[in-house]
């Protein structure tokens, strides 16, 4: 038994919870955006119960799209979701004008917020602070922002006090995407500092492929923001956890952990994720845009083996009424 | 049922296999080398069935020891092992003279080989090649070398062709410690190129905390070289796999995967590993030398929970004669 | 007395020589492209005698322009130059489609070639080779390419043998922009290997702000590709050198060296360069687009002082018929 | 006319000024420490008028010495200086115990202070603060510390507020070695914040090969801490500047700037520096320890040319009673 977390169509805010799936961007074999697959992908994610979607993230290959493709993708995706869940749009860009332009497109199309990582090249916390001062000023007060803390991708590191200063200075900073690694202690420090009492509450969702999701929930995370190809597991883990059954949640998680770990290989992991989504019927073609990873025969056999093992394990769990850890 | 891989006291070579555990270095609370714990740790590792030991690696905090401590530790450790299994000594150093000096100390004390990572700061494959040309020349032909490929720690990347060139040029390069991440394809390419037919065979052992060990074995690895605090799992996985029962091996692995993943957090992972070794009686004190990570109360509770879950899961497996995946 | 190097309107090729100035992108104070300043800037550069121009490089703030701005800027700039000198267009992009699209726009508009740096994130020479194999295939055989070797900006390092392999595999690779630092030996190795006899000749122009230009010319460079705000110095140095008067060339260079060095400060150097161009009437406004450096009062006073010193020194040189080094 | 800055034998402190030359470590061709050259080098530096010496820095190849060599070198060097000028000892080390041990050796031998860079791997300002809290506690209150801010070497960046916090927390932090690049504004901010009125004064000496020394003096630096092979130029520039003749100081600097820039090539610059010192009789052999750069024939010819040009220029200056800028 699990709770059903709300799937509210409004803006992201202090009480956003659950699973915001990081959407892939489907391409045809020749590298064009595959619009029918965008539609089927939206329906796939919603059918799996996600509480929100984040598009145009790093795993959405946003940096390989043209500006007009980004805008068109955001509009199409949001229109297809049609308010059933909130949609966050990744807008990180080396140019602030470009960032703002896409943010406005997204907001006009109905996005629930935008996600911004500190620009690569920022070296000190003063520089991070100055950067976001400009960005928030340009965005204005009405666009909710999710701060993406992903040093492995950006090479920008921020300490907890420096992040809290951003929270204090920018009321529209509404969400913290935690994916510093390792970062369990950092997540917990942010949670305690932004708990609605010591300081206004912000929502904390976790990335890093979900590799530490049960630990992150124990530490105070509100859910996951990652793109694992079995979103229903992320959803069930979160809902079971918030229903007060953490061990059952973690049992479910552990069943999938071999695959979570397999997908969490920087680079090739995207190809694995897309291949699974293809096999599950979510998208028609697994290709990543150039330059992007491709699976070879060995990779595919390895994936076959892992998926067979997952099936077997889930079957075993189903047979046992009391679960694997019972 | 599993095979018992040989535990040969001789030098490392093309047919080295199994688990070479990466040893921690035990310290007292005040930061001195804890010699009695060195002895108990050796006995712990050997009792768990490891096929070799690697000391003074990065997770052995080698860079925080003085030269004389490194030498003393190597001599003491090797003497205690007393030829029961081969011992590899990590000797990476920014100065070639220092590297050679420790290699000679280790060899004189009975080491089975030395482990060398390309020095931080090498930028191109020509530079890597030149660096190792000098190092191998200085070491002479009689010291077997394990090449540690760990870009996350060294920031040095080497392609497969460039590595193969090293193999061709240096007959004493005997072992490849694979811990590029992600790197399953790379491992397999090295395996196929150094299979004893296309080219002389070299041994391939895998690091990265063991996070992908079953996949690595399928790809042709000869075993693991990592420091997971439950060495008996690594041993059983390898021996079961080489006995022709890969699924049983992976079932065993998957039981421990939540903890493998937990220990594989750069930085704090060392503190977790040492704390588990302390709880298991292998060492008296979990302290890492300064600067080093410390677990706080939250970290310890989290570890408690994960260890309880492991126990429960292993008990479940034991109850079932046919294993979890049956 | 100096030689006048040819200012040919055709494509870049093995015999391109002289100064290809790296153009800034002029903005208004509010951050729009300042089109009248684009025109005046073109005339400024041509009046100073440059042998070519490179636009949309890193110092052209290309990454802060939208796709449509990049295309519009390239078309406008090339049209204004109107064939008086060749124009190279920087097209580096994380997405190959985007790179190819801009290359086609540029070529259709009359560009003499495109400049491409290896994408950030490439880690080994095999990866670099694979990346360019795809890029060259997508570009086709008719677009001449300048390879930008700028590890400080890209974090990608390439050895001489790996670069030569690219030269051998891709006949349209026509030019090497050398700005590895330090890299005098590398430049010379490429020069000797691509001298028209050992291997087909390629043109080598040097970046790095021109900081080592006289040494680079001695080592076999064909000229400079950098954006120093006094292009006439770069032109005179190159033409004097190729007229067989290397010491006179270096005397002239040394007069400007304090300012060359001052402009060669990563980040703030762009603001210094634009401010000098503004003072010289080349552009109307010195602003860099956000996020970009701004000079404060101290910076401006420091620049005043350096410019006064330059004037005084040039006056001293003019008074002396035999030059400073006589 | 210039002032003679004090050459005080006491500890470094708020009023340390002038040139603390970064000493090389002389080796024989076979890589042993060349003790007679240590003596001649000390006399060379002192004869050139330096106000202090810093040994065992990065350009002193400290990381290639064994612990016992470092200790022996420090003792020998300090004994030879014999109190004529203060000697700072670089003690940066990945292990705090090693750092403290060398600090104690140095202090016992009569060092005027120790120099410490934040350890590579520190990622946030909280981590930097914690690191130095431990280090200062271990060193005790009596060892004056020079903080080396060299991000290009350490990959650790610190903002001005974070540095000022260190100043406030650690009274024995006595000196700031500025070599962030570019960093003129940072230097000035530290100067203004630590001016003896807003906050206690600390001494600021500049590295980076001296490439911006005149600008740094204008911004408030107290002198240079770098290893340029013509220390007499650094001394004259500082003393002339502090005598109130900044333009004459900068004229002298500009004469040497081509060589300053040439020596400021990371890697090969050390070989150039040692070769010049050898030619000037300061040391017997120019070899760097392995792995280290070597000059080839082209490098040597290039250096010949630059040294001839320097001689000619100095001769021209000498002929003119009023100096080049008159």
């Amino acid at each position: 038994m699990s709770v059903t977390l709300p799937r509210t169509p409004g803006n992201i805010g202090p009480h956003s919870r659950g699973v915001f799936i990081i959407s892939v961007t489907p391409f045809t074999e020749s590298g064009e955006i595959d619009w029918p697959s965008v539609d089927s992908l939206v329906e796939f994610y919603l059918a799996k119960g996600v509480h929100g979607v984040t598009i145009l993230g790093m795993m959405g290959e946003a940096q390989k799209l043209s500006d007009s493709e980004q805008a068109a993708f955001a509009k199409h995706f949001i229109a297809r979701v049609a308010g059933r869940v909130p949609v966050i749009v990744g807008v990180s860009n080396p140019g602030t004008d470009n960032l703002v332009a896409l943010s406005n497109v997204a907001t006009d199309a109905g996005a629930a917020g935008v996600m911004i990582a500190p620009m690569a090249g920022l070296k000190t916390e003063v520089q991070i602070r100055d950067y976001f001062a400009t960005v928030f000023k340009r965005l204005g007060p009405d666009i909710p922002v999710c701060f993406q803390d992903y040093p492995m991708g950006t090479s920008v590191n921020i300490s907890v006090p420096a992040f809290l200063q951003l929270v204090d200075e920018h009321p529209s900073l509404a969400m913290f995407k935690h994916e510093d690694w390792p970062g369990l202690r950092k997540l917990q420090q942010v949670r305690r500092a932004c708990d609605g009492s010591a300081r206004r509450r912000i929502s904390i969702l976790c990335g890093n492929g979900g590799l530490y999701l049960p630990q992150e929930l124990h530490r105070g995370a509100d859910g996951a923001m990652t793109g694992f190809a079995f979103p229903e597991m992320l959803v069930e883990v979160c809902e079971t956890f918030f229903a007060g059954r953490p061990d059952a949640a973690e049992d479910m998680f552990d069943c999938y952990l071999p695959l979570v770990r397999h997908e969490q290989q920087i680079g090739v992991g995207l190809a694995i994720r897309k291949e699974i989504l293809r096999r599950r019927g979510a998208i028609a073609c697994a290709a990543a845009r150039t330059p992007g990873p491709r699976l070879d025969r060995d990779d595919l056999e390895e994936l076959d083996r892992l998926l067979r093992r997952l099936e077997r394990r889930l079957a075993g769990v189903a047979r046992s009424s009391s679960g694997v850890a019972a």
Side-chain angles (χ1 to χ4, degrees), chain A residues 214 233 236-237 240 245-257 313-314 317 322-326:
Chain A
M233 179 279 277
E236 185 167 343
V237 167
T240 306
R245 302 178 56 238
D247 268 308
E250 192 156 2
D251 290 345
M252 177 50 56
F253 177 84
D254 285 352
C255 289
Y256 286 86
L257 179 53
R313 182 138 168 208
L314 291 174
V317 172
S322 53
V324 286

Side-chain angles (χ1 to χ4, degrees), chain A residues 2 22 28 72 230 238 290:
Chain A
S2 63
I22 293 278
T28 64
F230 293 86
C238 288
T290 302

Side-chain angles (χ1 to χ4, degrees), chain A residues 280-298:
Chain A
R280 303 190 78 194
I283 57 177
C285 166
R289 212 174 231 194
T290 302
R294 300 260 157 178
L295 302 185
D296 64 18
R297 213 188 48 180
D298 297 309

